[in-house]
Amino acid sequence: FLSLQVINPLKEWVRGQPNPEGYILGHFRLLERNNPSLDAAYGPMQQRYQQIKQTTDSIGAQVVIIMVPSSAQVCSPDQLPYYPRHVDVHDSSRFDLEKPQQLTQQIAESLTIPFFDLRPALRAEPGGCPYQPYNMHWLPEGHVVAAGYIKDILMTLRLGGF
């Protein structure tokens, strides 16, 4: 508790470096423009999705990709107590807030898999930030918003809209 709540925030303030726990909780590494691990994952991800699509096609089912965003893609620094100081996700020289979704959408399009992004729905949540303030999970309101959005997607797919 002391490390998470006192020592690490103090180090962050004194050293001017992001709090590592907050960096992890907000998935900031996945949003870094020059993240080689995200680029390296593209091929294996595409292969896995292709296997999934082949399986669903073989049984007459349909696969859908619904992209869950990181809290840093939805909430502002003042809404997340763990948001690291000295980190500006809007610094386009360091971060690309679209990259995870763009890479996944490229894969989805190449395999003709419907792709949906939860960011707009979660950003529109009336209470503000739908993420828990001390971890990366959704608040109950976030689950309600996501469930409603996914229900609408599935109903549209069922009715032949995609």
Side-chain angles (χ1 to χ4, degrees), residues 74-161:
V74 176
C75 303
S76 64
D78 61 317
Q79 294 172 313
L80 298 170
Y82 61 77
Y83 202 104
R85 291 177 186 246
H86 317 295
V87 171
D88 177 8
V89 293
H90 300 292
D91 175 359
S92 61
S93 67
R94 183 171 176 196
F95 294 101
D96 183 349
L97 293 177
E98 301 297 318
K99 189 171 185 176
Q101 282 77 5
Q102 285 175 343
L103 291 175
T104 306
Q105 186 168 12
Q106 287 173 5
I107 293 170
E109 288 174 358
S110 75
L111 299 171
T112 62
I113 297 173
F115 172 87
F116 301 93
D117 185 355
L118 277 171
R119 286 181 297 177
L122 291 172
R123 286 176 181 156
E125 197 277 315
C129 178
Y131 287 83
Q132 294 185 27
Y134 296 101
N135 66 49
M136 63 186 82
H137 302 286
W138 293 329
L139 292 164
E141 300 82 7
H143 284 277
V144 170
V145 168
Y149 181 74
I150 293 167
K151 175 195 65 97
D152 291 345
I153 289 168
L154 296 177
M155 290 301 294
T156 303
L157 288 170
R158 183 173 176 223
L159 298 173

Side-chain angles (χ1 to χ4, degrees), residues 6-102:
V6 178
I7 295 170
N8 285 340
L10 186 59
K11 284 181 186 177
E12 179 180 45
W13 182 74
V14 170
R15 294 181 182 163
Q17 297 173 339
N19 180 346
E21 284 78 24
Y23 210 77
I24 290 168
L25 291 175
H27 295 110
F28 290 92
R29 177 120 171 86
L30 293 175
L31 302 173
E32 289 176 351
R33 183 169 293 286
N34 299 318
N35 180 346
S37 62
L38 194 58
D39 294 327
Y42 185 87
M45 244 174 60
Q46 186 172 32
Q47 290 175 339
R48 182 59 62 171
Y49 277 121
Q50 186 171 20
Q51 292 170 342
I52 293 167
K53 175 122 171 63
Q54 289 170 345
T55 301
T56 56
D57 287 350
S58 74
I59 62 170
Q62 183 176 7
V63 64
V64 176
I65 297 174
I66 300 172
M67 188 80 174
V68 177
S70 71
S71 57
Q73 290 178 295
V74 176
C75 303
S76 64
D78 61 317
Q79 294 172 313
L80 298 170
Y82 61 77
Y83 202 104
R85 291 177 186 246
H86 317 295
V87 171
D88 177 8
V89 293
H90 300 292
D91 175 359
S92 61
S93 67
R94 183 171 176 196
F95 294 101
D96 183 349
L97 293 177
E98 301 297 318
K99 189 171 185 176
Q101 282 77 5
Q102 285 175 343

